[in-house]
């Protein structure tokens, strides 16, 4: 079975991959309101991710979700660096897993809230 | 016409259990008479058998029993009742009940308390008297066996169980983390806890809930189970499932959240309740047709078994219908995605149901409304029901996890996915806790603070 890692793109990220071959793989979803890149991985890599992160899970769309922000950030950086959406980019991220786990440990304590007005 | 109307179902078991002494004078008398002869036990959280973090607090079960959410259960189960629940999913009285409800203590505490059958035990919460347990039986369990038998296995329950339960399953962990000595007997609350905000305004025990339905003229009401902040898919599930009624759509939607220890990555309880409230405050569903409430329970994530408990709770609250979606109260891939719907439509013989839950002796009266799923359809340009929309190839599925991913990265979900008013609530509690989701810190804090404080009885 194939599993998917989604990488959401904001303006900063869109800029970073501008002109690269992955730009053609950008998908617009939810009526064009979200832009996303999709990386497909096999069973082995999926298991490695689930093992590495306690919160990670597979959702109803076969997407691997709830991975730490540090992992997602690193995944995007690797995509931008390798200009590819192959499974290899995930393997490159997993090669730095200890470093990512350290960052993830910090982010499990605090994440800065967005600056929007609340009651 | 009236013969086509549905009647509000009776409470499960025939009458609502209410084991709360509300008169402080009477409560004090009980306590006074206990001073010399009763042992006192301070309720502690159940800790994960390996990791030592809180996974449950039995106070939530005592509340749910004594205020009637779990009617007809009246207390901690005897060994015969436990056996009956594990083998047949029936109480000794014959009424369907899915889970063991137990008051468990360690061998050391048992020794220290020196209690025996026939004794009354005073249970303290946060250092103050809370409830009494009249001990009928004391027995020992093997927590691992209890956990395995509670959920079953692919061998014993091949119809729906796909994987062996293990310590990745939070419900299995709760039973595996039980202490080995069980004190069985009825609970009585002698000191009503005071709910803290925002829990206070959503606390609606079954009797009050039935009264509200009566006052609002709700002949039919459909229950919505939640442990999540609502995205637009949930909202559409609620609105569309509520088209079911008798001769007209359901008069009301009862949102009943499960409040208790959550998994890392879930939303804080406070955000869940207020986010559902935001749905009607912002008018996406009329407040006259929508009530937000909760039940105290450390969720066992038992998919079909959990759906039985949900049916019991919401029947007790007076609902005529209960909506069930895919992966109901599920985690991981332990169960078939539609295990709950199989149980309510066909039955699961290995769990004791050779017929649907509504057709077995001692079964439920609340009607299931089994729903498939909603997705965003870019062709229809709307949130579409999977059984109506013929654009399955183009579908864009919503999932809580997708939204959590956006939230964690600080991206405001598009309004087609999450209402801005709901997102505001998420951010409100994010600012308070420094984190948008349940993390270790929140669990520790929450389990120390709980949802309640106890008043002085003096």
């Amino acid at each position: 079975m194939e599993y998917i890692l989604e990488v959401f793109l904001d303006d900063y990220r869109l800029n970073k991959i501008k002109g690269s071959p992955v730009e053609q793989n950008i998908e617009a979803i939810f009526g064009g309101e979200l832009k996303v890149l999709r990386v497909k991985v096999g069973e082995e890599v999926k298991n490695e991710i689930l093992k590495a992160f306690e919160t990670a899970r597979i959702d109803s769309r076969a997407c691997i979700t709830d991975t730490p922000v540090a992992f997602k950030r690193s995944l995007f950086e690797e995509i931008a660096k390798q200009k590819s959406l192959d499974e290899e980019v995930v393997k490159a991220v997993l090669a730095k897993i200890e470093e990512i786990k350290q960052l993830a440990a910090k982010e499990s304590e605090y994440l800065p809230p967005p600056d929007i007005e609340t009651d | 016409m009236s013969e086509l109307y549905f009647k509000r179902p009776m409470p499960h078991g025939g009458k609502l259990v209410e084991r709360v002494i509300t008169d402080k004078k009477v409560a004090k008398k009980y306590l006074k008479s206990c001073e010399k002869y009763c042992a006192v036990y301070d309720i502690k959280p159940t800790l994960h058998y390996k990791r030592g973090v809180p996974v449950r607090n039995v106070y939530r079960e005592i509340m749910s029993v004594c205020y009637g959410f779990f009617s007809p259960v009246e207390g901690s189960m005897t060994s015969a009742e436990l056996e009956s629940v594990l083998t047949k999913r029936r109480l000794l009285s014959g009424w369907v009940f899915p889970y063991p409800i137990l008051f468990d203590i360690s061998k050391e505490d048992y020794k220290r308390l020196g209690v025996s059958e026939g004794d009354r035990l005073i249970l303290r919460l946060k250092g103050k008297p809370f409830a009494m347990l009249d001990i009928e039986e004391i027995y020992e369990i093997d927590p691992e066996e209890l956990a395995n038998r509670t959920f079953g296995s692919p061998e014993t329950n091949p119809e729906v169980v796909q994987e062996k339960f293990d310590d990745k399953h939070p419900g299995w962990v709760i039973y595996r983390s039980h202490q080995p000595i069980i004190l069985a007997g009825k609970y009585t609350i002698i000191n009503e806890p005071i709910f803290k905000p925002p829990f206070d305004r959503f606390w609606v025990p079954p009797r009050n809930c039935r009264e509200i339905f009566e006052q609002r003229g709700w002949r039919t009401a459909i229950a919505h189970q939640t442990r999540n902040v609502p995205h637009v898919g949930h909202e559409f599930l609620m609105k569309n499932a509520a088209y079911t009624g008798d001769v007209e759509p359901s008069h009301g939607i009862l949102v009943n959240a499960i409040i208790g220890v959550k998994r890392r990555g879930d939303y804080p309880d406070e955000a869940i309740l207020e986010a559902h409230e935001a749905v009607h405050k912002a008018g996406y569903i009329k407040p006259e047709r929508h009530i937000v409430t909760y039940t105290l329970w450390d969720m066992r994530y038992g998919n079909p078994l959990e759906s039985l408990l949900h049916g019991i709770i919401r029947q007790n609250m007076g609902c005529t219908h209960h909506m069930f979606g895919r992966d109901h109260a599920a985690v991981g891939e332990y169960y078939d995605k539609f295990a709950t719907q199989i149980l309510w439509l066909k039955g699961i013989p290995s769990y004791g149901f050779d017929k649907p839950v509504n057709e077995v002796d001692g079964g439920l009266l609340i009607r299931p409304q089994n729903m498939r799923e909603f997705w965003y359809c870019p062709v229809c340009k709307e949130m579409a029901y999977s059984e109506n929309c013929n654009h399955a190839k183009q579908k864009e599925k919503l999932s809580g996890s997708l939204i959590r991913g956006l939230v964690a990265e600080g991206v405001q979900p598009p309004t087609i996915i999450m209402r801005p008013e709901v997102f505001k609530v998420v951010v409100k509690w994010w600012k308070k806790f420094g984190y948008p989701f349940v993390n270790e810190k929140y669990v520790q804090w929450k389990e120390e603070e709980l949802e309640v404080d106890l008043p002085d009885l003096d």
Side-chain angles (χ1 to χ4, degrees):
Chain A
M1 189 171 166
E2 227 169 35
Y3 298 89
I4 299 160
L5 282 158
E6 289 182 318
V7 181
F8 297 107
L9 305 169
D10 54 15
D11 290 344
Y12 169 78
R13 286 181 176 180
L14 282 167
N15 248 335
K16 242 188 145 180
I17 55 169
K18 206 172 177 183
S20 78
V22 289
E23 200 179 14
Q24 294 158 17
N25 299 101
I26 295 174
E27 295 175 48
I29 54 173
F30 296 106
E33 292 199 50
L34 260 187
K35 300 217 168 26
V36 66
L37 287 173
R38 293 197 166 108
V39 184
K40 290 173 184 159
V41 299
E43 200 75 33
E44 204 179 307
V45 171
K46 179 256 312 184
N47 288 340
E48 236 180 293
I49 296 169
L50 292 188
K51 201 176 148 202
F53 306 114
E54 197 204 334
T55 53
R57 52 183 109 175
I58 310 293
D59 77 1
S60 57
R61 307 162 304 143
C63 288
I64 304 169
T65 65
D66 298 271
T67 52
V69 173
F71 174 81
K72 291 180 203 163
R73 203 171 291 140
S74 177
L75 180 57
F76 174 75
E77 280 157 15
E78 208 53 50
I79 290 169
K81 189 172 144 195
Q82 293 195 25
K83 300 181 174 49
S84 158
L85 294 178
D86 288 348
E87 199 180 49
E88 293 309 309
V89 295
V90 186
K91 286 184 179 163
V93 174
L94 288 171
K96 308 180 269 191
I97 198 71
E98 287 313 315
E99 189 190 320
I100 292 170
K101 276 185 175 175
Q102 278 178 14
L103 290 168
K106 280 183 203 155
E107 86 188 32
S108 71
E109 282 283 307
Y110 178 77
L111 278 174
D115 189 18
I116 64 165
E117 193 121 326
T118 54
D119 299 330
Chain B
M1 190 63 123
S2 61
E3 69 270 18
L4 297 177
Y5 291 170
F6 287 161
K7 284 198 183 98
R8 189 163 302 129
M10 68 172 188
H12 189 47
K15 76 176 180 70
L16 278 180
V17 168
E18 289 178 288
R19 301 192 60 83
V20 183
I21 295 171
T22 50
D23 186 330
K24 286 207 170 189
K25 275 188 199 157
V26 177
K28 275 190 215 167
K29 266 175 102 176
Y30 269 109
L31 263 185
K32 184 97 184 145
S33 66
C34 272
E35 261 170 19
K36 277 188 188 164
Y37 305 107
C38 299
V40 175
Y41 179 80
D42 283 298
I43 290 177
K44 353 179 154 166
T46 303
L47 302 179
H48 191 297
Y49 75 107
K50 277 184 185 165
R51 294 172 44 224
V53 295
V55 293
R56 161 195 180 234
N57 192 311
V58 72
Y59 114 85
R60 297 195 177 96
E61 287 156 42
I62 297 172
M63 291 289 281
S64 291
V65 165
C66 292
Y67 282 93
F69 291 88
F70 292 174
S71 300
V73 172
E74 293 186 284
S76 166
M77 293 173 176
T78 62
S79 57
E81 190 119 83
L82 173 63
E83 194 53 32
S84 175
V85 165
L86 291 175
T87 53
K88 296 185 281 194
R89 308 291 159 177
R90 306 289 196 283
L91 302 172
L92 289 174
S93 56
W95 294 103
V96 165
F97 203 85
Y99 286 130
I101 300 292
L102 302 170
F103 190 84
D104 56 311
I105 59 171
S106 67
K107 287 182 179 173
E108 298 72 40
D109 281 338
Y110 176 45
K111 223 175 179 179
R112 185 182 56 75
L113 286 171
V115 288
S116 57
E117 286 151 10
D119 284 343
R120 171 168 285 170
L121 182 64
I122 298 296
L123 305 176
R124 275 198 310 218
L125 185 65
K126 294 178 134 180
K128 303 216 175 125
F130 165 52
M132 306 186 294
L133 169 59
D134 289 313
I135 304 169
E136 288 168 38
E137 186 191 356
I138 299 173
Y139 61 98
E140 192 168 341
I141 54 156
D142 170 352
E144 183 148 355
E145 188 195 344
L146 173 73
N148 287 334
R149 291 186 67 200
T150 295
F151 293 99
S153 69
E155 291 75 34
T156 56
N157 309 88
E159 308 98 316
V160 290
V161 178
Q162 300 175 157
E163 278 181 21
K164 187 180 178 338
F165 290 88
D166 54 20
D167 62 8
K168 280 233 164 194
H169 187 275
W172 187 90
V173 166
I174 287 178
Y175 283 111
R176 175 62 187 82
S177 304
H178 270 46
Q179 295 293 334
I181 304 296
I182 304 300
L183 306 182
K186 291 178 183 169
Y187 298 128
T188 311
I189 290 175
I190 50 171
N191 189 16
E192 278 194 282
I194 297 167
F195 283 92
K196 298 185 224 184
F199 299 102
D200 49 356
R201 66 178 191 275
F202 302 106
W203 175 245
V204 186
R207 176 168 301 284
N208 307 41
C209 193
R210 285 172 171 260
E211 283 166 8
I212 292 171
F213 287 5
E214 200 58 43
Q215 285 158 13
R216 292 189 175 200
W218 288 9
R219 185 176 63 244
T220 51
I222 187 161
H224 175 67
Q225 151 64 25
T226 187
R227 58 178 166 109
N228 215 329
V229 304
H231 55 58
V232 177
H234 295 127
E235 187 189 309
F236 272 71
L237 169 67
M238 282 189 262
K239 286 172 170 170
N240 285 278
Y243 283 124
T244 306
D246 45 24
V247 298
E248 53 193 355
S250 278
H251 291 161
I253 298 166
L254 177 81
V255 176
N256 189 241
I258 294 298
I259 297 298
V261 178
K262 289 282 187 306
R263 297 179 64 213
R264 310 299 175 273
D266 285 348
Y267 290 92
D269 288 328
E270 295 83 349
I272 294 170
L273 291 167
E274 288 198 343
H276 274 278
E277 184 187 38
V279 170
H280 71 231
K281 271 186 160 176
Y284 299 110
I285 301 177
K286 277 186 181 176
E288 294 81 5
R289 282 172 63 82
H290 187 251
I291 305 177
V292 182
T293 64
Y294 63 95
T295 299
L296 291 168
W297 171 244
D298 300 306
M299 189 141 151
R300 307 303 202 254
Y301 297 88
N303 193 329
L305 299 174
E306 205 85 16
S307 80
L308 285 176
L309 184 70
H310 293 161
I312 290 167
I313 292 168
R314 283 83 195 226
Q315 180 177 321
N316 286 331
M317 296 180 86
C319 291
T320 47
H321 298 79
H322 198 303
M323 55 186 96
F324 294 116
R326 71 200 288 283
D327 272 331
H328 182 84
V331 60
E333 291 167 34
Y334 296 94
Y335 285 104
D336 183 296
K337 290 186 188 327
F338 292 100
T340 286
Q341 305 198 359
I342 294 170
L343 173 68
W344 288 77
L345 289 173
K346 291 200 302 199
I348 302 175
S350 66
Y351 276 139
F353 300 91
D354 56 357
K355 287 187 278 192
V357 181
N358 301 82
E359 293 174 26
V360 297
D361 289 340
L364 293 169
L365 298 172
I366 192 168
R367 294 165 173 82
Q369 177 61 19
N370 293 316
M371 302 292 286
R372 289 283 160 159
E373 47 191 319
F374 287 86
W375 58 52
Y376 178 76
C377 174
V379 182
C380 303
K381 295 197 190 306
E382 65 178 13
M383 203 57 72
Y385 183 52
S386 60
E387 306 308 288
N388 288 336
C389 175
N390 205 24
H391 305 120
K393 273 190 186 159
Q394 294 97 326
K395 72 185 175 202
E396 289 170 2
K397 289 173 92 173
L398 272 87
S399 80
S401 310
L402 164 94
I403 296 164
R404 276 194 298 275
L406 290 170
V407 169
E409 291 194 80
V411 179
Q412 173 153 358
T415 49
I416 191 75
I417 297 181
M418 182 181 268
R419 304 295 190 186
E421 295 85 352
V422 170
F423 186 65
K424 265 191 180 181
V425 170
V426 171
V427 176
K428 171 187 164 183
W429 290 99
W430 185 346
K431 285 179 178 171
K432 161 128 177 97
F433 297 125
Y435 203 70
F437 312 119
V438 169
N439 59 9
E440 210 84 4
K441 203 167 130 193
Y442 174 82
V443 171
Q444 293 287 359
W445 172 82
K446 179 78 191 297
E447 292 314 296
E448 276 165 32
E449 288 292 317
L450 301 175
E451 297 81 9
V452 295
D453 279 323
L454 274 289
D456 286 323
L457 256 183
D458 300 325

